[in-house]
Each structure stands twice: as C-alpha cells, then as structure tokens.
Amino acid sequence: SSSVMNISEHLSCPLGFGHYNAVDICILETVVIVLLTFLIIAGNLTVIFVFHCAPLLHHYTTSYFIQTMAYADLFVGVSCLVPTLSLLHYSTGVHESLTCQVFGYIISVLKSVSMACLACISVDRYLAITKPLSYNQLVTPCRLRICISLIWIYSCLIFLPSFFGWGKPGYHGDIFEWCATSWLTNAYFTGFIVCLLYAPAAFVICFTYFHIFKICRQHTKEISDRRARFPNHEGDAAGETGHSPDRRYAMVLFRITSVFYVLWLPYIIYFLLESSRVLDNPALSFLTTWLAISNSFCNCVIYSLSNSVFRLGLRRLSETICSSCMCSKDRDVRDPKPRKRANSCSI
C-alpha cells in the first residue's frame, strides 16, 4: 500500500471524481493504460505477421496503406510504454518536460499517419471503381511507396512547431504533471492542425466513399434490371462477381474509417474546446485521449472480423505455430534427453 501511495503522490491523476480517492484513480489509470498498451502491441504484431504470411492480401494495393497503419499503430503501443512505465515506477521529474513533449509529438505524428492513410485508402478505392481500366497504370508500387513516404514526412512536419512553443500538438489526458500545468493548448495552433490535417482528411473520405457507394448502388440496380429483363442471361453473374469484391472490400475499409472517426471525434471536439478556453476537465481529457488511442487496437479487430482473406491467413498462421509447437513436443517425446549418470560423490 505504501508503494501505491508513492505512485499517487508523484503522478498527476487527471480523473478527479469526488467520490473516488486518488489511489483508486491512479490504479484505474494504470490498468487502462497497461491493458491498452498490451492489446495494441499484440494486435498489430498479429496483423503484420498475417500480412507477411498471406500472399493473397498483397493482391490489393491498399495492403501498403494497411501495413503502414499497422506499423504506426504498433509504434503507438510502444510509445505508450512511456506513460505505462511512469505509472508503474513513479516519475522522478528528471527531463519531464522533454519526455512529455517528445511523447506528445510522437503520438500525434503516428495518429496523423493513420488518418492520412485512411484518406489515401479511400482515394485508392475511388480510383479502382471509377477508373478500372486505367487503374493499374495510375496506381503503381513505386507511386504507392512515394505516397507513403510523403505521408510520414508531412505528418512529422505539421506537428513540428509545437517544439518551438507554438501550442500543444494534441495529446491530453496528461500523465506527466508538466504536461498538465505548464504545456497549454493554443487556439491558433489547433486551427492550424484542423485546417491542414483533420478537415482535409475528413472531406476526402466523405467525398470518395459517397461516390463509391453511389456507383455501387447504380451497378446493383443495373444488374437487377438486367436480370428482370433477361432471367437466363449468363453475363449477369460475371458482371456481378466482377464488382462485388470491390464493394465488399470498400465496406471493410469504410467500417475501419467510421470507427476511427467515431473514436476520435470526442477527442477532436475536446481539443477544440480546450484550445478555445471553453472547457477544461481533466476527466474528459483522460477519457477522450485514451479512447482515441484505443483505435490502434480496434483496427486489428475490425479487419480480422470483416476480411475473409485475412481470417484465412490468420488461421493458417495459427495452424503453423501450433503444428511447430506440436512437432517440437513430439520430438522431445521420441528423443528424450539422456539423464546424467550420478557419480559416487553425489551418491
């Protein structure tokens, strides 16, 4: 109990409900952050291994962006080890300001990469459905790699002014005391981030998916009308199967995008309100921040539940791991290690 009291004394516990004491709140924060850190790292490592072990997933050009998101989310989980360790081993205050700035910058950059990748995925699916004949000439592996490199460079540059004293990059739910008391948000910097990142990404995603589902609905209606006119026409099945996979894959990506914005919308709203000095609530700051960070794990769950090829790759990976474990166990049973003969001294 004394160690728990030491943790509560050295940490800033942002959840300030009146009927809970500080020790319970610190324990709750520790459990939430440790659990999210473990889930994010384990889930994204699984996604990365499945993509490397399932060749069918590489047939989609969006696999480049999905893997980039998985690596970015994995780095989010690794970065979350910083507040996790600071909660488990109470902070000494050494270089706390630099640690806070670096951690907030890294988390903001990584989530910016995820947001930009979602926008690029929507553009990729839009081109695949609207320009199917020239798609392979427009979207090449070289251009995809250049696009991913530009995403990382842009995300690193857009949050760089926060190191020169121009506002906070967006990390709330402050675990470090310096972040909560000395590092304040700035309305101009928040508007700068919204105009150059949040708003363009949201506009591109809404525009592309609106037209994607509009085109898919038109194709479905045309196929239904054709079937009604020519019940025994053989070309309908070919037309339907040619378009149905694109629509299903677009639906998977749309679910990922929707969950991303549902989890990040409370954080963005609180970010705007706090920057405008309209609202300052430590409890909401903590909850909205870690709700947004939990999206790094939700992407793995949605993709594994929605994509049949991914599920097949995950099952094969699990079977491979289980078979290798069983083989090693059977080998130990067949060829047991000889026991060392005891000498007279040991007897």
Tab-separated table of all heavy atoms in Angstrom, residues 274-311:
chain	number	residue	atom	x	y	z
A	274	GLU	N	-10.968	22.958	-25.494
A	274	GLU	CA	-9.913	23.314	-24.544
A	274	GLU	C	-9.009	24.409	-25.111
A	274	GLU	O	-8.579	25.314	-24.385
A	274	GLU	CB	-9.081	22.079	-24.198
A	274	GLU	CG	-8.019	22.370	-23.139
A	274	GLU	CD	-7.151	21.168	-22.856
A	274	GLU	OE1	-7.665	20.154	-22.365
A	274	GLU	OE2	-5.938	21.244	-23.132
A	275	SER	N	-8.742	24.334	-26.408
A	275	SER	CA	-7.902	25.364	-27.023
A	275	SER	C	-8.583	26.727	-27.004
A	275	SER	O	-7.919	27.756	-26.901
A	275	SER	CB	-7.574	24.977	-28.468
A	275	SER	OG	-6.910	23.735	-28.512
A	276	SER	N	-9.914	26.739	-27.072
A	276	SER	CA	-10.675	27.988	-27.030
A	276	SER	C	-10.956	28.449	-25.610
A	276	SER	O	-11.690	29.425	-25.412
A	276	SER	CB	-11.995	27.816	-27.788
A	276	SER	OG	-11.767	27.375	-29.110
A	277	ARG	N	-10.419	27.722	-24.610
A	277	ARG	CA	-10.628	28.026	-23.191
A	277	ARG	C	-12.111	27.970	-22.804
A	277	ARG	O	-12.551	28.661	-21.886
A	277	ARG	CB	-10.060	29.413	-22.842
A	277	ARG	CG	-8.586	29.582	-23.158
A	277	ARG	CD	-7.721	28.663	-22.318
A	277	ARG	NE	-6.312	28.892	-22.564
A	277	ARG	CZ	-5.567	28.217	-23.440
A	277	ARG	NH1	-6.130	27.261	-24.171
A	277	ARG	NH2	-4.288	28.472	-23.594
A	278	VAL	N	-12.880	27.140	-23.498
A	278	VAL	CA	-14.292	26.963	-23.166
A	278	VAL	C	-14.474	25.855	-22.143
A	278	VAL	O	-15.350	25.931	-21.278
A	278	VAL	CB	-15.108	26.645	-24.444
A	278	VAL	CG1	-16.564	26.352	-24.103
A	278	VAL	CG2	-15.002	27.795	-25.434
A	279	LEU	N	-13.634	24.824	-22.195
A	279	LEU	CA	-13.776	23.654	-21.333
A	279	LEU	C	-12.402	23.202	-20.885
A	279	LEU	O	-11.461	23.146	-21.683
A	279	LEU	CB	-14.495	22.521	-22.077
A	279	LEU	CG	-14.754	21.220	-21.312
A	279	LEU	CD1	-15.693	21.475	-20.137
A	279	LEU	CD2	-15.325	20.157	-22.254
A	280	ASP	N	-12.296	22.870	-19.601
A	280	ASP	CA	-11.055	22.326	-19.060
A	280	ASP	C	-11.423	21.314	-17.984
A	280	ASP	O	-11.618	21.651	-16.824
A	280	ASP	CB	-10.177	23.441	-18.485
A	280	ASP	CG	-8.825	22.919	-18.033
A	280	ASP	OD1	-8.510	21.743	-18.330
A	280	ASP	OD2	-8.074	23.672	-17.379
A	281	ASN	N	-11.530	20.049	-18.402
A	281	ASN	CA	-11.952	18.981	-17.500
A	281	ASN	C	-10.935	17.849	-17.566
A	281	ASN	O	-10.822	17.182	-18.600
A	281	ASN	CB	-13.345	18.473	-17.902
A	281	ASN	CG	-13.942	17.545	-16.864
A	281	ASN	OD1	-13.294	16.614	-16.397
A	281	ASN	ND2	-15.189	17.803	-16.501
A	282	PRO	N	-10.172	17.605	-16.489
A	282	PRO	CA	-9.149	16.539	-16.530
A	282	PRO	C	-9.729	15.162	-16.817
A	282	PRO	O	-9.090	14.347	-17.485
A	282	PRO	CB	-8.535	16.605	-15.128
A	282	PRO	CG	-8.804	17.984	-14.647
A	282	PRO	CD	-10.140	18.362	-15.221
A	283	ALA	N	-10.929	14.886	-16.308
A	283	ALA	CA	-11.527	13.570	-16.540
A	283	ALA	C	-11.844	13.360	-18.022
A	283	ALA	O	-11.523	12.317	-18.601
A	283	ALA	CB	-12.803	13.423	-15.706
A	284	LEU	N	-12.461	14.370	-18.639
A	284	LEU	CA	-12.750	14.269	-20.071
A	284	LEU	C	-11.470	14.217	-20.892
A	284	LEU	O	-11.403	13.528	-21.920
A	284	LEU	CB	-13.603	15.461	-20.515
A	284	LEU	CG	-15.073	15.454	-20.097
A	284	LEU	CD1	-15.746	16.735	-20.560
A	284	LEU	CD2	-15.779	14.236	-20.685
A	285	SER	N	-10.452	14.937	-20.447
A	285	SER	CA	-9.179	14.916	-21.151
A	285	SER	C	-8.603	13.510	-21.183
A	285	SER	O	-8.176	13.017	-22.230
A	285	SER	CB	-8.202	15.874	-20.468
A	285	SER	OG	-6.928	15.801	-21.056
A	286	PHE	N	-8.596	12.844	-20.039
A	286	PHE	CA	-8.061	11.487	-19.971
A	286	PHE	C	-8.899	10.517	-20.791
A	286	PHE	O	-8.368	9.713	-21.575
A	286	PHE	CB	-8.004	11.032	-18.508
A	286	PHE	CG	-7.456	9.640	-18.326
A	286	PHE	CD1	-6.095	9.434	-18.243
A	286	PHE	CD2	-8.307	8.552	-18.234
A	286	PHE	CE1	-5.582	8.158	-18.075
A	286	PHE	CE2	-7.812	7.275	-18.068
A	286	PHE	CZ	-6.445	7.074	-17.989
A	287	LEU	N	-10.215	10.565	-20.635
A	287	LEU	CA	-11.092	9.600	-21.306
A	287	LEU	C	-11.055	9.767	-22.822
A	287	LEU	O	-10.968	8.778	-23.562
A	287	LEU	CB	-12.524	9.755	-20.783
A	287	LEU	CG	-12.741	9.378	-19.319
A	287	LEU	CD1	-14.179	9.686	-18.898
A	287	LEU	CD2	-12.429	7.910	-19.087
A	288	THR	N	-11.131	11.014	-23.316
A	288	THR	CA	-11.133	11.220	-24.770
A	288	THR	C	-9.787	10.846	-25.387
A	288	THR	O	-9.737	10.307	-26.498
A	288	THR	CB	-11.477	12.669	-25.102
A	288	THR	OG1	-10.572	13.557	-24.413
A	288	THR	CG2	-12.903	13.002	-24.693
A	289	THR	N	-8.704	11.123	-24.672
A	289	THR	CA	-7.383	10.795	-25.208
A	289	THR	C	-7.205	9.301	-25.372
A	289	THR	O	-6.843	8.813	-26.449
A	289	THR	CB	-6.285	11.351	-24.285
A	289	THR	OG1	-6.374	12.768	-24.260
A	289	THR	CG2	-4.904	10.932	-24.775
A	290	TRP	N	-7.490	8.538	-24.327
A	290	TRP	CA	-7.244	7.097	-24.394
A	290	TRP	C	-8.333	6.369	-25.162
A	290	TRP	O	-8.117	5.255	-25.644
A	290	TRP	CB	-7.048	6.544	-22.995
A	290	TRP	CG	-5.760	7.054	-22.430
A	290	TRP	CD1	-5.584	8.118	-21.591
A	290	TRP	CD2	-4.447	6.578	-22.729
A	290	TRP	NE1	-4.262	8.321	-21.342
A	290	TRP	CE2	-3.532	7.387	-22.012
A	290	TRP	CE3	-3.962	5.537	-23.518
A	290	TRP	CZ2	-2.160	7.186	-22.079
A	290	TRP	CZ3	-2.589	5.330	-23.568
A	290	TRP	CH2	-1.708	6.148	-22.856
A	291	LEU	N	-9.499	6.986	-25.319
A	291	LEU	CA	-10.495	6.433	-26.242
A	291	LEU	C	-9.990	6.528	-27.671
A	291	LEU	O	-10.145	5.591	-28.471
A	291	LEU	CB	-11.822	7.189	-26.097
A	291	LEU	CG	-12.979	6.712	-26.976
A	291	LEU	CD1	-13.421	5.299	-26.568
A	291	LEU	CD2	-14.154	7.668	-26.893
A	292	ALA	N	-9.366	7.660	-28.016
A	292	ALA	CA	-8.806	7.819	-29.356
A	292	ALA	C	-7.634	6.871	-29.578
A	292	ALA	O	-7.501	6.262	-30.648
A	292	ALA	CB	-8.369	9.270	-29.565
A	293	ILE	N	-6.782	6.718	-28.578
A	293	ILE	CA	-5.632	5.825	-28.724
A	293	ILE	C	-6.079	4.370	-28.848
A	293	ILE	O	-5.416	3.565	-29.516
A	293	ILE	CB	-4.673	6.025	-27.540
A	293	ILE	CG1	-4.016	7.414	-27.621
A	293	ILE	CG2	-3.595	4.949	-27.500
A	293	ILE	CD1	-3.101	7.741	-26.466
A	294	SER	N	-7.216	4.023	-28.263
A	294	SER	CA	-7.711	2.643	-28.365
A	294	SER	C	-8.047	2.252	-29.797
A	294	SER	O	-8.166	1.063	-30.107
A	294	SER	CB	-8.952	2.463	-27.484
A	294	SER	OG	-10.052	3.222	-27.993
A	295	ASN	N	-8.193	3.239	-30.682
A	295	ASN	CA	-8.450	2.922	-32.085
A	295	ASN	C	-7.315	2.118	-32.699
A	295	ASN	O	-7.533	1.360	-33.656
A	295	ASN	CB	-8.652	4.217	-32.867
A	295	ASN	CG	-8.811	3.990	-34.345
A	295	ASN	OD1	-7.875	4.224	-35.114
A	295	ASN	ND2	-9.974	3.517	-34.765
A	296	SER	N	-6.110	2.249	-32.165
A	296	SER	CA	-4.975	1.494	-32.687
A	296	SER	C	-5.178	-0.001	-32.535
A	296	SER	O	-4.594	-0.793	-33.281
A	296	SER	CB	-3.691	1.917	-31.965
A	296	SER	OG	-3.424	3.282	-32.199
A	297	PHE	N	-5.990	-0.416	-31.569
A	297	PHE	CA	-6.320	-1.833	-31.419
A	297	PHE	C	-7.587	-2.198	-32.183
A	297	PHE	O	-7.700	-3.318	-32.713
A	297	PHE	CB	-6.497	-2.170	-29.938
A	297	PHE	CG	-7.042	-3.545	-29.691
A	297	PHE	CD1	-6.284	-4.670	-29.965
A	297	PHE	CD2	-8.326	-3.708	-29.204
A	297	PHE	CE1	-6.797	-5.943	-29.743
A	297	PHE	CE2	-8.843	-4.967	-28.981
A	297	PHE	CZ	-8.073	-6.091	-29.251
A	298	CYS	N	-8.527	-1.274	-32.278
A	298	CYS	CA	-9.802	-1.565	-32.951
A	298	CYS	C	-9.609	-1.876	-34.429
A	298	CYS	O	-10.356	-2.684	-34.999
A	298	CYS	CB	-10.768	-0.391	-32.785
A	298	CYS	SG	-11.291	-0.118	-31.087
A	299	ASN	N	-8.622	-1.249	-35.081
A	299	ASN	CA	-8.365	-1.546	-36.482
A	299	ASN	C	-8.082	-3.023	-36.699
A	299	ASN	O	-8.546	-3.627	-37.675
A	299	ASN	CB	-7.178	-0.718	-36.987
A	299	ASN	CG	-7.524	0.749	-37.131
A	299	ASN	OD1	-8.686	1.114	-37.239
A	299	ASN	ND2	-6.517	1.596	-37.133
A	300	CYS	N	-7.308	-3.629	-35.789
A	300	CYS	CA	-6.993	-5.057	-35.913
A	300	CYS	C	-8.255	-5.904	-35.811
A	300	CYS	O	-8.451	-6.857	-36.577
A	300	CYS	CB	-6.011	-5.471	-34.823
A	300	CYS	SG	-4.634	-4.362	-34.598
A	301	VAL	N	-9.123	-5.565	-34.859
A	301	VAL	CA	-10.339	-6.355	-34.648
A	301	VAL	C	-11.263	-6.262	-35.852
A	301	VAL	O	-11.793	-7.272	-36.339
A	301	VAL	CB	-11.053	-5.876	-33.365
A	301	VAL	CG1	-12.362	-6.629	-33.168
A	301	VAL	CG2	-10.152	-6.054	-32.152
A	302	ILE	N	-11.468	-5.040	-36.354
A	302	ILE	CA	-12.380	-4.856	-37.494
A	302	ILE	C	-11.873	-5.595	-38.717
A	302	ILE	O	-12.622	-6.279	-39.412
A	302	ILE	CB	-12.551	-3.358	-37.796
A	302	ILE	CG1	-13.188	-2.643	-36.610
A	302	ILE	CG2	-13.408	-3.158	-39.034
A	302	ILE	CD1	-13.158	-1.143	-36.715
A	303	TYR	N	-10.578	-5.471	-38.983
A	303	TYR	CA	-10.038	-6.097	-40.189
A	303	TYR	C	-10.092	-7.616	-40.087
A	303	TYR	O	-10.392	-8.306	-41.064
A	303	TYR	CB	-8.605	-5.632	-40.415
A	303	TYR	CG	-8.185	-5.712	-41.863
A	303	TYR	CD1	-8.649	-4.765	-42.768
A	303	TYR	CD2	-7.358	-6.722	-42.326
A	303	TYR	CE1	-8.288	-4.827	-44.099
A	303	TYR	CE2	-6.986	-6.787	-43.649
A	303	TYR	CZ	-7.456	-5.840	-44.533
A	303	TYR	OH	-7.100	-5.919	-45.852
A	304	SER	N	-9.821	-8.163	-38.907
A	304	SER	CA	-9.848	-9.614	-38.747
A	304	SER	C	-11.256	-10.167	-38.806
A	304	SER	O	-11.469	-11.303	-39.254
A	304	SER	CB	-9.189	-10.004	-37.424
A	304	SER	OG	-9.887	-9.414	-36.336
A	305	LEU	N	-12.255	-9.391	-38.394
A	305	LEU	CA	-13.636	-9.859	-38.422
A	305	LEU	C	-14.290	-9.650	-39.782
A	305	LEU	O	-15.230	-10.369	-40.135
A	305	LEU	CB	-14.460	-9.139	-37.346
A	305	LEU	CG	-14.105	-9.434	-35.896
A	305	LEU	CD1	-14.976	-8.608	-34.961
A	305	LEU	CD2	-14.254	-10.918	-35.573
A	306	SER	N	-13.815	-8.691	-40.563
A	306	SER	CA	-14.510	-8.315	-41.788
A	306	SER	C	-13.910	-8.917	-43.054
A	306	SER	O	-14.612	-9.105	-44.040
A	306	SER	CB	-14.532	-6.782	-41.933
A	306	SER	OG	-15.146	-6.178	-40.820
A	307	ASN	N	-12.616	-9.216	-43.057
A	307	ASN	CA	-11.951	-9.658	-44.274
A	307	ASN	C	-11.724	-11.164	-44.220
A	307	ASN	O	-11.011	-11.668	-43.345
A	307	ASN	CB	-10.610	-8.923	-44.430
A	307	ASN	CG	-10.018	-9.104	-45.804
A	307	ASN	OD1	-9.594	-10.193	-46.157
A	307	ASN	ND2	-9.990	-8.041	-46.578
A	308	SER	N	-12.322	-11.883	-45.175
A	308	SER	CA	-12.221	-13.344	-45.190
A	308	SER	C	-10.800	-13.802	-45.511
A	308	SER	O	-10.326	-14.812	-44.959
A	308	SER	CB	-13.200	-13.925	-46.210
A	308	SER	OG	-12.943	-13.398	-47.509
A	309	VAL	N	-10.092	-13.079	-46.395
A	309	VAL	CA	-8.719	-13.447	-46.726
A	309	VAL	C	-7.811	-13.284	-45.509
A	309	VAL	O	-6.931	-14.109	-45.242
A	309	VAL	CB	-8.206	-12.605	-47.912
A	309	VAL	CG1	-6.771	-12.966	-48.255
A	309	VAL	CG2	-9.104	-12.793	-49.127
A	310	PHE	N	-8.044	-12.214	-44.748
A	310	PHE	CA	-7.260	-12.009	-43.536
A	310	PHE	C	-7.535	-13.121	-42.516
A	310	PHE	O	-6.609	-13.620	-41.875
A	310	PHE	CB	-7.584	-10.643	-42.929
A	310	PHE	CG	-6.752	-10.307	-41.717
A	310	PHE	CD1	-5.527	-9.677	-41.856
A	310	PHE	CD2	-7.196	-10.623	-40.444
A	310	PHE	CE1	-4.758	-9.367	-40.753
A	310	PHE	CE2	-6.441	-10.318	-39.331
A	310	PHE	CZ	-5.226	-9.686	-39.491
A	311	ARG	N	-8.789	-13.514	-42.380
A	311	ARG	CA	-9.116	-14.604	-41.446
A	311	ARG	C	-8.450	-15.900	-41.877
A	311	ARG	O	-7.981	-16.675	-41.034
A	311	ARG	CB	-10.635	-14.778	-41.366
A	311	ARG	CG	-11.362	-13.637	-40.673
A	311	ARG	CD	-12.752	-14.063	-40.245
A	311	ARG	NE	-13.545	-14.505	-41.377
A	311	ARG	CZ	-14.318	-13.698	-42.106
A	311	ARG	NH1	-14.359	-12.406	-41.821
A	311	ARG	NH2	-15.029	-14.157	-43.108
